[in-house]
Amino acid sequence: MSEVCVSDRASQRKDRLRYPCGEAPAPGSALEVAPGVLWQRIPLYNGQTINAWALRDGEGWTVVDTGMSTEAGLAVWQQLLAPEGPLQGRPVTRVIATHLHADHVGMAGWLCSKFDCELWMTQGEYQQANLMHARAAQPMPAQDLAFYERAGWDAQALATVAPMGRYMSPLPACYRRIREGERIRIGEDDWQVLIGNGHSSEHACLYCAPRGLFISGDQVLPLISSNVSVWPLEPAANPMQDWLASLEKVSQAIPDDVLVLPAHDDPFHGLHERLAQLARKRHRALDQLREALQRRELRVVDTFDAVFGRSSFANAFVQQLATGEAVAYLNYLIDRGEACAREDERGIAWYGGAEPHVLQKA
């Protein structure tokens, strides 16, 4: 799933980060960013790309993240895996998916089947990815439509909403569970698992301390802010609190001098500065939302200006991301006693400044 409702590229002070790896590789080629660590880019359906990392693993490769299951993605993987390709025709020994979104796990089933290798994921991400894939083949559930209707979507917008989980090949029927703090031996290196929350439930990052490498997935991106959303399956969730805590957790656990290998855009130095930028951006949006709620009651869709600086989005998918993230901000404030919600006679939620006698979770 694409990361953000609104990119912060324009406001990002890129000079504070350092990008030592040069020009990104074209899809179908690879760039060695450290001995035995290849940077590959897989095209997505929307013209963007995701980074897939290949780590030399004995006579083969461990692949971290895979791209979506699309014709373009398949064609690029066939180029990468060809005898004359950057992976030199060597087999994939395992696939590690940082989390459940299709741009990270969409081709995992195909790769695991082709090479008869294991998929390694955290338990929560594997289970939710299977659920998302199953739901993608079904009509939009009524409770999901009710979630967006409660947020203020009109009938025309509701008619365009679709389940998440497209662009995923079926996952293997079994997998290898990875856990917080576990050390995974890949080739001659140990990579420690660090779990983040907020963007997804159990997002796995990988840290190789001796080599100063940190595969961050979507937990830390250099130019965009990962989407942090409440979804219809768990409407009372507070992922924004989890996200902010995870930024602090990464800051405490990973030193600043690592080379960050993110899922999108270029590898960079300046981890702690970027973590601070991401936290500031969220707190700034929260402050703007607090001020807006003090002025008048708002539906979820009315908060977009305060949170994102815009009131509409290009398509239903991006509006889904915006809606989920706006609810994440609102639920964060409600859990802190700084906002409340009520439903009108049509079942639409209206949010305002906290009034303890009517305080309720959206």
Coordinates of all heavy atoms in Angstrom, one line a residue, residues 19 22 24 42 44 98 113 131 140 146 155 163 175 187 198 221 228 267-268 297 331 348:
Y19 N 22.7 11.2 1.1 CA 22.4 10.1 0.2 C 23.6 9.6 -0.5 O 24.0 10.2 -1.5 CB 21.3 10.6 -0.8 CG 20.0 11.1 -0.1 CD1 19.9 12.4 0.4 CD2 19.0 10.2 0.1 CE1 18.8 12.8 1.0 CE2 17.8 10.6 0.7 CZ 17.7 11.9 1.2 OH 16.5 12.3 1.8
G22 N 24.4 7.3 -4.7 CA 24.3 7.7 -6.1 C 22.9 7.4 -6.7 O 21.9 7.3 -6.0
A24 N 19.7 5.9 -8.3 CA 19.0 4.7 -8.1 C 19.0 3.8 -9.3 O 19.1 4.2 -10.5 CB 17.5 5.0 -7.8
I42 N 11.3 -2.2 -7.8 CA 10.3 -3.0 -8.5 C 9.1 -2.0 -8.8 O 8.7 -1.2 -7.9 CB 9.7 -4.1 -7.6 CG1 10.9 -4.9 -7.0 CG2 8.7 -5.0 -8.4 CD1 11.7 -5.6 -8.0
L44 N 5.5 -0.3 -9.3 CA 4.2 -0.5 -8.8 C 3.1 -0.1 -9.8 O 3.5 0.4 -10.9 CB 4.0 0.3 -7.5 CG 5.0 0.1 -6.4 CD1 4.8 1.0 -5.2 CD2 5.0 -1.4 -6.0
T98 N 8.6 -7.3 5.3 CA 8.6 -6.4 6.5 C 7.2 -6.3 7.0 O 7.0 -6.2 8.2 CB 9.1 -5.0 6.1 OG1 8.4 -4.4 5.1 CG2 10.6 -5.1 5.7
S113 N 7.0 -20.0 -4.2 CA 6.6 -21.1 -5.0 C 7.7 -21.5 -6.1 O 8.1 -22.6 -6.3 CB 5.3 -20.9 -5.7 OG 4.9 -21.9 -6.6
L131 N -5.9 -12.4 5.4 CA -7.2 -11.9 5.6 C -7.5 -10.8 4.5 O -8.5 -10.8 3.8 CB -7.4 -11.3 6.9 CG -8.8 -10.6 7.2 CD1 -9.9 -11.6 7.0 CD2 -8.8 -10.0 8.6
M140 N -17.4 -5.3 -1.3 CA -17.0 -4.5 -0.1 C -18.0 -4.8 1.0 O -19.2 -4.7 0.9 CB -17.2 -3.0 -0.5 CG -16.6 -2.0 0.4 SD -14.8 -2.1 0.4 CE -14.3 -0.8 1.6
A146 N -20.1 1.3 6.0 CA -20.6 2.0 7.1 C -19.5 2.9 7.8 O -19.8 4.0 8.2 CB -21.2 1.1 8.1
A155 N -22.6 9.4 -1.3 CA -23.0 8.2 -2.1 C -22.1 7.9 -3.3 O -21.7 6.8 -3.6 CB -24.5 8.2 -2.5
P163 N -12.2 -3.0 -1.6 CA -11.4 -3.6 -0.6 C -9.9 -3.5 -0.9 O -9.5 -3.5 -2.0 CB -11.9 -5.1 -0.6 CG -13.1 -5.1 -1.3 CD -13.1 -4.0 -2.3
Y175 N 4.5 -20.5 7.0 CA 5.5 -19.5 7.0 C 6.4 -19.7 8.2 O 6.1 -20.5 9.1 CB 4.8 -18.1 7.0 CG 4.3 -17.6 8.4 CD1 4.9 -16.6 9.1 CD2 3.2 -18.3 9.0 CE1 4.4 -16.2 10.4 CE2 2.7 -17.9 10.2 CZ 3.3 -16.9 10.9 OH 2.9 -16.5 12.1
G187 N 23.8 -15.3 5.3 CA 25.2 -15.4 4.8 C 26.1 -15.4 6.0 O 26.0 -16.2 6.9
G198 N 2.0 0.9 14.1 CA 1.4 2.2 13.7 C 1.1 2.2 12.3 O -0.1 2.3 11.8
L221 N 11.1 6.5 6.3 CA 11.3 6.8 4.9 C 11.9 8.2 4.8 O 11.5 9.1 5.6 CB 10.0 6.8 4.1 CG 9.2 5.4 4.2 CD1 7.9 5.5 3.5 CD2 10.1 4.4 3.4
V228 N -0.6 6.2 8.5 CA -0.9 5.7 9.8 C -2.4 5.8 9.9 O -3.0 6.9 10.1 CB -0.2 6.5 11.0 CG1 -0.7 5.9 12.3 CG2 1.3 6.4 10.8
P267 N 18.6 5.2 -0.2 CA 19.3 4.9 1.1 C 19.9 6.2 1.6 O 20.3 7.1 0.8 CB 20.4 3.9 0.7 CG 19.9 3.3 -0.5 CD 19.1 4.3 -1.2
F268 N 19.9 6.4 2.9 CA 20.4 7.7 3.5 C 21.1 7.5 4.8 O 20.9 6.5 5.5 CB 19.2 8.6 3.6 CG 18.2 8.3 4.6 CD1 18.2 8.8 5.9 CD2 17.1 7.4 4.4 CE1 17.3 8.5 6.9 CE2 16.2 7.1 5.3 CZ 16.2 7.6 6.6
E297 N -17.7 21.8 15.3 CA -17.7 20.3 15.1 C -17.4 20.0 13.7 O -17.8 20.7 12.7 CB -19.1 19.8 15.5 CG -19.4 19.7 16.9 CD -20.7 18.9 17.2 OE1 -21.7 19.1 16.5 OE2 -20.7 18.0 18.1
N331 N -8.8 9.6 17.0 CA -8.8 8.6 18.1 C -7.7 8.9 19.1 O -7.8 8.6 20.3 CB -8.7 7.2 17.5 CG -10.0 6.7 16.9 OD1 -11.0 7.4 16.9 ND2 -10.0 5.5 16.4
I348 N -23.7 9.7 11.1 CA -22.5 10.4 10.8 C -21.9 10.9 12.0 O -22.5 11.5 12.9 CB -22.7 11.5 9.8 CG1 -23.2 10.9 8.4 CG2 -21.4 12.3 9.5 CD1 -23.6 11.9 7.4

